[in-house]
Amino acid sequence: MLQNIDISKWTKNKKVISWVEDKIKLCKPDSVHFCDGSKEEIDSLLKLLISQNKVIPLNPKKKPNSYLFRSTVDDVARVEERTFICCKNEEDAGPTNNWKDPVEMKNTMKDLFSGCMHGRVMYVIPFCMGPLSSDKSHIGIEITDSAYVVLNMNIMTRMGKKVMEYLDKDIDFVPCIHSVGKPLKKNEKDDLWPCNPENKYIVHFPEEKSIWSFGSGYGGNALLGKKCFALRIASNMAKEQSWLAEHMLILGITNPQGEKKYIAAAFPSSCGKTNLAMLQPKLKGWKVECIGDDIAWMKFGEDGKLYAINPEAGFFGVAPGTSYQTNYNAMKSLEQNSLFTNVALTEEGDVWWEKMTDKIPDGLIDWQGNLYDPKSNKPAAHANSRFTAPISQCPVRDLDFENPKGVPISAIIFGGRREDVVPLVYESFDWNHGVFLGASVSSQTTAAAKGEIGKLRHDPFAMLPFCGYNMADYFNHWLNLQNKTQSSKLPKIFYVNWFKKNENNEFIWPGFSDNIRVLKWIFERVSNKVSAKKTAIGYIPRIEDLDLTNLDISKENLSKLFEINQNLWLQEADKLQTYFSVFKDKLPNEMVNQIKSLRDRLTKETKCAQ
Ligand code: TSX
Ligand code: MN
């Protein structure tokens, strides 16, 4: 049984003390552990998990200080249908979120959490999203009964003792409570991956800015600093305080003359965001450096420019597809001090996943712990298996990653996976048109498990599962930002598509390292060094302005890459209008105007050069 715990020894912050006391009473853990983030703490947690067979230490000669976790089959991904935004008015959650009344939901959660940590340790994790000393950063505390969560939060956030001085100064925090939802009876043996698949709830209270998560131990469901806090709750804070919390990578790009600019980019899943964030450029003299691969918090600086920080401290990346060929810098980042979830295990005690190497190693153990049969037609690693690696280990991490000011953003890129219609790159006419491009982000599906392959899915700003309020209000928030600064200070907005195919169903653009050619054009557009061709959908590069040095691509393929088909684009406008109709009269008029102007430009066949 739990003795009285004196929380005031841990912090002077009254709000923290009463919140933690309250949750101890509610969850009734066997003991409470206040995380300090020390090496000793992490090592002893690992020792405990190893003794319980809940983690497999990898071969230190292959992956030093790295560990493999295996989840159960019913807990392998985020659960969007179990994710809720609980604000007073349903309309404030909007048509793209699941809404529940906050009072009702709070009662449901209190019932679920009541006694849910019986037989377990309650870990209290103070964490900071963003550099510790930054005025753009925000603090949270996650209460959890999962040691896996503690280990991951230790890589993904700045956590532990270093955060306490800020809490002691009475700085506000976002309370986050998580439980795997599997209390243990006396002498009951624990599962290797405890969870409660029948009762998963990922719940956000945007008005009080708190998070309650129950029943899942996986990724974004359980590491509450990431999608729940840094996107869903932070998007609400951002709306109230005129900043942006976005599902964007941040990269620095330096030209051969040593001039540097920063770019933020938003893509739906399976478009290779992590690959772009740490790209190895093909063009001589160009350099790309990584600030982050998933989330950007952007606020206006005193100079009127938009400054971005990465609230995270690690990569929680999809493993399959990652290789030294497709993403050398990610592979270097995960060579040590990393965690792996649901990947395959080799005979040598190393990790493996699909497309890591051409040859499938002999004697693989699959993600469920069974000997792998390459003839089974099933993958050895789960399609959503993950690596957790510190950004500090990324060979091309940007030195300004820890800069509390953040980095000035010169360009914002949106994109999606489209076999047809959308050209390799185009630039918006102005801010309103750029916001329209963000709102129109869509991607064709790749995963066979989720509906048909190739189906078009709208995913505005790549924020569909992550916007913590009405998406129509979010469009409006983006439109309003232009009133906060001079238009010359705003980033230029672009749209890219690496995935156009030819009539033989082959990708036309080589992608990956060659994407630097597109980034170069964007860089030079931003510095007004290169011209563009005005079309009905936006500005596209003149072929002679795109650096195609040492690239073997035919004239036909090139023209196909930049073809704008009037009929297909009119259909595109129709599809978008249909999609936007879910927002009813909440949709900003400007979005309606943008569709109308697009149709007008397409039908007027504007082919005027500029
Ligand atoms: O990440 C990708 N990027 C961005 C890289 C910085 N991928 C992988 C997407 C799944 C996550 C890409 N796939 C990209 C891309 O630019 N392009 C493609 C399509 C493609 C795939 C293979 C080849 C060319 C294009 N070529 C060969 O396989 C030889
Ligand atoms: Mn993401």
Side-chain angles (χ1 to χ4, degrees):
M1 264 298 102
L2 188 62
Q3 319 93 305
N4 255 349
I5 296 165
D6 189 3
I7 305 167
S8 64
K9 279 200 191 123
W10 185 64
T11 180
K12 303 277 163 285
N13 187 316
K14 296 238 167 58
K15 192 181 155 190
V16 176
I17 294 172
S18 77
W19 178 69
V20 176
E21 272 177 353
D22 206 50
K23 294 304 165 279
I24 294 173
K25 278 192 200 128
L26 177 66
C27 303
K28 301 189 172 58
D30 277 15
S31 62
V32 181
H33 177 105
F34 294 94
C35 297
D36 61 16
S38 64
K39 173 122 180 57
E40 296 74 44
E41 177 178 70
I42 298 302
D43 287 347
S44 74
L45 276 178
L46 283 162
K47 219 169 133 184
L48 175 73
L49 289 170
I50 292 166
S51 73
Q52 297 170 331
N53 284 322
K54 288 180 176 176
V55 69
I56 299 166
L58 297 170
N59 181 347
K61 291 198 181 114
K62 299 284 176 182
K63 293 278 182 296
N65 191 33
S66 298
Y67 301 85
L68 168 62
F69 289 86
R70 291 182 188 135
S71 79
T72 52
V73 287
D74 44 17
D75 198 26
V76 294
R78 287 186 297 101
V79 280
E80 287 175 19
E81 60 293 350
R82 304 298 307 160
T83 301
F84 300 91
I85 303 295
C86 303
C87 42
K88 284 193 199 81
N89 301 317
E90 182 167 4
E91 194 175 49
D92 291 337
T96 61
N97 280 312
N98 301 311
W99 175 85
K100 280 277 192 312
D101 177 81
V103 176
E104 245 172 69
M105 183 57 103
K106 191 60 81 55
N107 286 332
T108 305
M109 295 316 280
K110 282 183 179 163
D111 285 349
L112 286 167
F113 273 87
S114 175
C116 72
M117 294 189 187
H118 258 301
R120 299 194 182 278
V121 183
M122 173 192 271
Y123 300 97
V124 184
I125 314 168
F127 64 94
C128 181
M129 300 309 288
L132 277 163
S133 61
S134 171
D135 60 356
K136 295 177 174 68
S137 297
H138 290 275
I139 285 174
I141 304 179
E142 178 163 353
I143 287 177
T144 179
D145 52 11
S146 161
Y148 170 82
V149 167
V150 179
L151 296 175
N152 275 274
M153 289 292 281
N154 184 51
I155 295 176
M156 295 305 296
T157 73
R158 286 96 171 159
M159 78 90 135
K161 197 168 164 236
K162 48 191 178 278
V163 182
M164 297 313 294
E165 64 176 289
Y166 296 91
L167 281 175
D168 282 339
K169 278 188 251 172
D170 263 3
I171 285 177
D172 208 8
F173 69 100
V174 171
C176 311
I177 176 158
H178 166 256
S179 173
V180 295
K182 194 96 192 336
L184 294 169
K185 294 182 203 84
K186 219 178 168 178
N187 298 324
E188 184 182 343
K189 197 172 176 294
D190 196 9
D191 298 338
L192 292 180
W193 181 274
C195 61
N196 188 341
E198 291 81 39
N199 290 294
K200 290 186 188 177
Y201 282 87
I202 319 298
V203 180
H204 309 74
F205 297 98
E207 281 142 356
E208 65 170 40
K209 315 253 174 335
S210 71
I211 301 160
W212 296 61
S213 167
F214 190 87
S216 166
Y218 203 86
N221 299 333
L223 313 176
L224 302 186
K226 195 174 177 65
K227 304 303 190 182
C228 297
F229 180 169
L231 288 174
R232 297 194 194 96
I233 293 297
S235 63
N236 277 279
M237 299 161 82
K239 177 187 60 165
E240 289 161 18
Q241 304 161 7
S242 289
W243 51 280
L244 289 167
E246 299 301 321
H247 191 201
M248 290 179 180
L249 65 86
I250 309 163
L251 62 80
I253 171 168
T254 309
N255 72 5
Q257 290 72 47
E259 296 162 316
K260 185 167 190 178
K261 298 193 183 297
Y262 287 92
I263 298 177
F267 302 94
S269 58
S270 44
C271 288
K273 205 158 101 210
T274 302
N275 298 342
L276 187 64
M278 39 190 111
L279 165 128
Q280 282 189 308
K282 266 276 174 67
L283 294 175
K284 218 175 142 215
W286 288 79
K287 190 158 79 181
V288 166
E289 287 161 294
C290 178
I291 295 265
D293 78 327
D294 198 34
I295 301 175
W297 284 356
M298 300 188 279
K299 305 184 185 185
F300 287 109
E302 273 164 22
D303 59 3
K305 288 192 222 162
L306 202 53
Y307 284 79
I309 62 162
N310 174 9
E312 302 192 283
F315 306 119
F316 186 69
V318 174
T322 310
S323 69
Y324 285 97
Q325 283 72 48
T326 58
N327 194 337
Y328 175 84
N329 292 313
M331 292 301 286
K332 294 304 281 184
S333 305
L334 57 76
E335 281 181 350
Q336 53 186 320
N337 310 315
S338 293
L339 304 172
F340 299 90
T341 312
N342 289 348
V343 302
L345 180 67
T346 71
E347 278 179 325
E348 294 85 38
D350 201 348
V351 291
W352 191 85
W353 46 74
E354 274 60 32
K355 298 194 182 159
M356 180 201 271
T357 53
D358 290 335
K359 194 183 164 296
I360 302 174
D362 292 328
L364 266 188
I365 306 295
D366 73 13
W367 69 277
Q368 294 180 75
N370 304 313
L371 187 65
Y372 180 62
D373 174 9
K375 293 190 287 291
S376 68
N377 261 335
K378 283 190 284 187
H382 188 275
N384 192 36
S385 57
R386 300 282 171 153
F387 57 82
T388 317
I391 291 186
S392 60
Q393 293 182 176
C394 181
V396 295
R397 71 193 175 281
D398 195 284
L399 288 179
D400 273 324
F401 164 70
E402 292 282 356
N403 188 338
K405 268 182 67 184
V407 295
I409 298 297
S410 302
I412 290 174
I413 305 178
F414 296 108
R417 176 186 278 266
R418 298 294 299 269
E419 291 180 7
D420 203 356
V421 189
V422 181
L424 178 64
V425 57
Y426 63 107
E427 179 189 333
S428 72
F429 297 119
D430 52 31
W431 184 259
N432 282 348
H433 184 230
V435 173
F436 173 67
L437 298 192
S440 71
V441 167
S442 62
S443 211
Q444 280 171 295
T445 53
T446 52
K450 276 194 173 181
E452 332 147 35
I453 296 177
K455 202 174 150 49
L456 189 66
R457 287 266 160 79
H458 286 273
D459 184 358
F461 292 79
M463 282 288 277
L464 194 60
F466 307 120
C467 182
Y469 59 98
N470 192 315
M471 184 67 86
D473 291 332
Y474 169 93
F475 296 163
N476 215 17
H477 176 55
W478 264 84
L479 290 168
N480 287 338
L481 280 182
Q482 65 193 305
N483 305 321
K484 300 278 166 198
T485 193
Q486 302 132 273
S487 60
S488 65
K489 301 279 176 74
L490 285 166
K492 288 194 169 178
I493 299 180
F494 299 82
Y495 199 103
V496 302
N497 172 28
W498 317 131
F499 301 95
K500 214 164 182 198
K501 285 183 169 177
N502 64 17
E503 50 291 341
N504 301 326
N505 205 33
E506 297 158 335
F507 290 113
I508 304 176
W509 181 249
F512 300 95
S513 295
D514 285 295
N515 291 337
I516 189 65
R517 303 173 195 278
V518 174
L519 296 185
K520 178 182 175 182
W521 183 74
I522 290 172
F523 184 106
E524 292 178 344
R525 281 300 287 167
V526 166
S527 37
N528 289 316
K529 280 197 192 134
V530 73
S531 66
K533 198 158 82 185
K534 195 172 188 179
T535 76
I537 65 162
Y539 298 110
I540 64 171
R542 296 170 190 282
I543 297 303
E544 61 270 27
D545 288 330
L546 204 58
D547 189 339
L548 299 173
T549 314
N550 295 327
L551 183 69
D552 185 18
I553 185 166
S554 70
K555 272 249 159 59
E556 298 79 62
N557 274 340
L558 255 183
S559 73
K560 181 110 178 93
L561 267 182
F562 290 101
E563 167 191 84
I564 293 151
N565 181 304
Q566 184 190 1
N567 265 331
L568 290 176
W569 270 96
L570 284 169
Q571 287 171 33
E572 193 76 5
D574 291 346
K575 284 183 204 163
L576 203 52
Q577 186 168 8
T578 307
Y579 178 71
F580 279 168
S581 67
V582 299
F583 301 113
K584 306 229 165 70
D585 55 355
K586 271 242 168 193
L587 184 75
N589 263 328
E590 182 57 33
M591 293 296 108
V592 181
N593 295 342
Q594 287 289 336
I595 295 191
K596 187 180 175 304
S597 313
L598 172 62
R599 282 208 185 93
D600 288 350
R601 291 190 304 263
L602 285 162
T603 43
K604 274 189 211 129
E605 284 274 64
T606 43
K607 274 193 178 149
C608 56
Q610 150 153 338

